[in-house]
Amino acid sequence: MPIAPLPASTQSVHLNGVDILLTDVVVPDDGPYSVGWAVAVISTDEGLRFAKCGAEVGDYPFQFVGFLGQTADPGAQAKVITGRGSKVTPTVEGGDDLVPNTSVYLSATPGEVTQTAPAGVGVANLRVGQAISTTVMLLTTDALYQFGG
């Protein structure tokens, strides 16, 4: 039995319990969006759109849904890795390697992750997983926020 529940929306396609293709969400005009980016889903006048997700409040940390599983051009749909326990190769701030067995957080750089917990006014400290190698993390979607201030 999969850990992640099947999507309830008729606008979703179940791929394998941890990867979801959101058929009504597309990459905005500022694309293309790269594989491994942390993303949020936001509602705009044009419909649902992906947004690069970061720790600062204006970068949609509370709308974080997961990581892109493929590179996608503007207007395209994209697979999102969103299930708890999924292995993800995220985009790491500064191109650094991950340190295995340590926590991974949304970075202040939208779309990226860091292993230094963000802090400060207007910054959300969102743990998104744990590194299991220098390039791969396990996604934990049970979001725990600590709002800086």
Side-chain angles (χ1 to χ4, degrees):
M1 177 165 203
I3 294 173
L6 295 177
S9 170
T10 59
Q11 295 297 316
S12 299
V13 177
H14 174 69
L15 297 177
N16 69 18
V18 293
D19 297 346
I20 305 293
L21 177 63
L22 301 171
T23 60
D24 59 344
V25 183
V26 297
V27 172
D29 292 337
D30 68 346
Y33 275 29
S34 296
V35 65
W37 278 2
V39 292
V41 173
I42 60 169
S43 180
T44 70
D45 291 340
E46 293 82 33
L48 296 176
R49 298 290 184 260
F50 288 110
K52 290 186 282 186
C53 190
E56 295 190 20
V57 173
D59 295 325
Y60 312 106
F62 304 114
Q63 289 81 22
F64 170 75
V65 294
F67 295 87
L68 285 186
Q70 66 190 74
T71 297
D73 291 323
Q77 301 167 349
K79 180 175 67 172
V80 179
I81 302 168
T82 190
R84 179 178 171 78
S86 297
K87 290 182 180 177
V88 177
T89 303
T91 302
V92 182
E93 187 175 53
D96 295 337
D97 284 342
L98 295 171
V99 178
N101 304 313
T102 56
S103 293
V104 179
Y105 303 88
L106 276 184
S107 167
T109 303
E112 298 183 359
V113 298
T114 182
Q115 289 191 286
T116 302
V121 175
V123 176
N125 175 333
L126 176 59
R127 182 182 182 275
V128 295
Q130 179 159 326
I132 59 171
S133 76
T134 58
T135 59
V136 177
M137 62 173 271
L138 284 180
L139 178 61
T140 54
T141 55
D142 50 346
L144 301 173
Y145 299 100
Q146 177 178 349
F147 194 68

